[in-house]
Structure formats: structure tokens, C-alpha cells
């Protein structure tokens, strides 16, 4: 069982990326709500390869695709600034957006860098503490 919003555009310099957020319950017809995950899908417009970031529990998944934990902070995957922070983190880790094949990555490995980027934005960033 999966839920997803429509694909959105993110313009970075001369490049346009497409991104979407999803929520998946494992278990088919009998979904296990304790085994859910959030996804952030990124791809370069016109490219067939995509980057799928998966966020399995733990550390924590909150309501409406909010991920994080009490100690470090929280990010809402539906915010464009958060999608951009994960895009920048993935590019810094060597993701090749023009690749023909897709790649799945544990999104928690990019979380610290994305959170840091959101917090250092001049407008206060999208990351927040509870």
C-alpha cells in the first residue's frame, strides 16, 4: 500500500529535477503499520534514472512525512527546501543524476547533512527542534 503526492519540480541552476514523496506500508493486503517507510524520489528531468531515498524506522517517522528524532531534529520531506538539501547531499556523495539506471539509498545516511543544510539557510531553514 503506497501513498504519494504528485511529482514536483525543483530548479537548481540550469537543471530541473523532479521529486516526489511517498509513504509505504509493508505487508500487502494486511499492511503492517509498524513497518512503514517514507520515500523521497529525485530525478533529473529527461533522465530515466532516479534516486530513491528510503527512510525505514528507526530513528523516527512522524506525521505527514516528517522524519528525524528528538535529539537531532526533524525534517518534513514535503518541503522543497528539504528536498533540495537531500539533493545536494546526494550529489556531494557522488550520485550521478544522468545515469540510465536507478539507485536506492538509505536516506538516513544523508539525513545529518540535509539537516545541517536546512538549519544554516538564511531564513532559519526547514529543520526544527522539538
Amino acid at each position: 500500500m503506497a501513498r504519494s503526492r504528485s511529482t514536483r519540480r525543483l530548479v537548481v541552476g540550469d537543471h530541473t529535477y523532479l521529486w516526489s514523496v511517498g509513504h509505504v506500508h509493508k505487508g500487502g493486503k494486511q499492511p503492517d503499520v509498524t513497518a512503514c517507510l517514507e520515500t523521497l524520489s529525485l530525478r533529473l528531468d529527461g533522465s530515466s534514472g532516479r534516486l530513491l531515498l528510503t527512510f525505514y524506522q528507526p530513528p523516527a517517522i512522524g506525521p505527514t512525512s516528517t522524519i528525524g528524532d528528538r535529539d537531532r531534529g526533524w525534517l518534513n520531506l514535503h518541503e522543497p527546501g528539504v528536498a533540495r538539501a537531500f539533493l545536494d547531499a546526494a550529489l556531494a556523495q557522488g550520485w550521478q543524476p544522468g545515469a540510465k539506471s536507478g539507485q536506492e539509498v538509505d536516506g538516513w545516511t544523508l539525513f545529518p547533512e540535509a539537516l545541517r543544510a536546512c538549519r544554516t539557510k538564511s531564513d532559519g531553514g526547514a529543520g526544527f527542534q522539538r
Side-chain angles (χ1 to χ4, degrees), residues 16 19 32 36 51 78 80 84 125:
T16 300
W19 64 284
D32 179 358
C36 57
L51 176 65
H78 289 290
R84 170 67 190 268

Side-chain angles (χ1 to χ4, degrees), residues 77-91:
L77 294 174
H78 289 290
E79 295 182 12
V82 172
R84 170 67 190 268
F86 277 104
L87 171 64
D88 290 344
L91 291 169

Side-chain angles (χ1 to χ4, degrees), residues 23-130:
H23 181 87
V24 179
H25 292 276
K26 297 291 186 180
K29 291 183 180 182
Q30 298 293 323
D32 179 358
V33 295
T34 64
C36 57
L37 68 116
E38 300 297 323
T39 63
L40 174 61
S41 176
L42 299 158
R43 75 176 173 87
L44 182 63
D45 193 11
S47 174
S48 59
R50 74 170 176 159
L51 176 65
L52 180 65
L53 300 179
T54 55
F55 299 90
Y56 290 92
Q57 294 178 337
I61 296 175
T64 63
S65 300
T66 301
I67 59 169
D69 62 43
R70 248 186 275 197
D71 296 329
R72 294 183 292 180
W74 300 87
L75 293 173
N76 185 332
L77 294 174
H78 289 290
E79 295 182 12
V82 172
R84 170 67 190 268
F86 277 104
L87 171 64
D88 290 344
L91 291 169
Q93 294 285 325
W95 176 53
Q96 300 296 316
K100 293 184 184 203
S101 62
Q103 181 180 358
E104 184 173 330
V105 172
D106 177 359
W108 294 116
T109 62
L110 302 176
F111 180 82
E113 190 174 340
L115 182 64
R116 188 170 31 261
C118 288
R119 285 189 175 156
T120 58
K121 287 174 68 174
S122 61
D123 65 355
F128 58 93
Q129 287 290 135
R130 287 205 188 222

